[in-house]
Amino acid sequence: MNMNSKTRFPLAGAAVVFIATVHTIMGVALFAAGDQDTELSFWFTTFGVAAIGLGVAMIELERARGFVPGSVLVALAVTTVVGLAYMPVSGFLTLLVPLGVGALGWWRGRAPVSAGA
């Protein structure tokens, strides 16, 4: 881990981790309640765990680079758009928050540094 963090708090990655943690907890709760299909709880839990991994990776990238790279944001954007296309009113809406924060950080991180700074 880079101790000279370029960003004090990796907001985009932390938001993905938070959303994914809630998603995972919902999957476990659905399974425990037994009132939903096993496939639904599997989807919630598995995607939640995978998304936690993505969020942790985004945190590391934000700390190392100061922003989330465009390629990672594109992957998150495609996931969000496809999810919203299939389920317009769903938790995929929440991914717009880390996507927007990440895009703003990427835009700012790519801006040239002035000589006087």
Side-chain angles (χ1 to χ4, degrees), residues 59-76:
I59 288 170
E60 291 298 320
L61 288 166
E62 281 181 286
R63 286 182 178 156
R65 295 182 177 203
F67 58 91
V68 179
S71 58
V72 175
L73 293 172
V74 167
L76 183 60

Side-chain angles (χ1 to χ4, degrees), residues 87-113:
M87 293 182 275
V89 181
S90 70
F92 283 104
L93 286 169
T94 63
L95 291 178
L96 293 172
V97 172
L99 185 57
V101 170
L104 182 61
W106 175 80
W107 185 262
R108 287 181 177 166
R110 292 177 26 92
V113 178

Side-chain angles (χ1 to χ4, degrees), residues 7-104:
T7 181
R8 295 188 191 273
F9 187 76
L11 191 56
V16 171
V17 169
F18 176 77
I19 293 164
T21 300
V22 171
H23 205 272
T24 303
I25 291 168
M26 286 177 60
V28 172
L30 286 171
F31 180 74
D35 60 341
Q36 295 289 332
D37 293 334
T38 304
E39 291 84 7
L40 182 61
S41 62
F42 175 80
W43 159 255
F44 268 91
T45 306
T46 303
F47 189 78
V49 170
I52 289 171
L54 172 63
V56 169
M58 287 173 64
I59 288 170
E60 291 298 320
L61 288 166
E62 281 181 286
R63 286 182 178 156
R65 295 182 177 203
F67 58 91
V68 179
S71 58
V72 175
L73 293 172
V74 167
L76 183 60
V78 169
T79 301
T80 303
V81 168
V82 170
L84 288 172
Y86 282 104
M87 293 182 275
V89 181
S90 70
F92 283 104
L93 286 169
T94 63
L95 291 178
L96 293 172
V97 172
L99 185 57
V101 170
L104 182 61

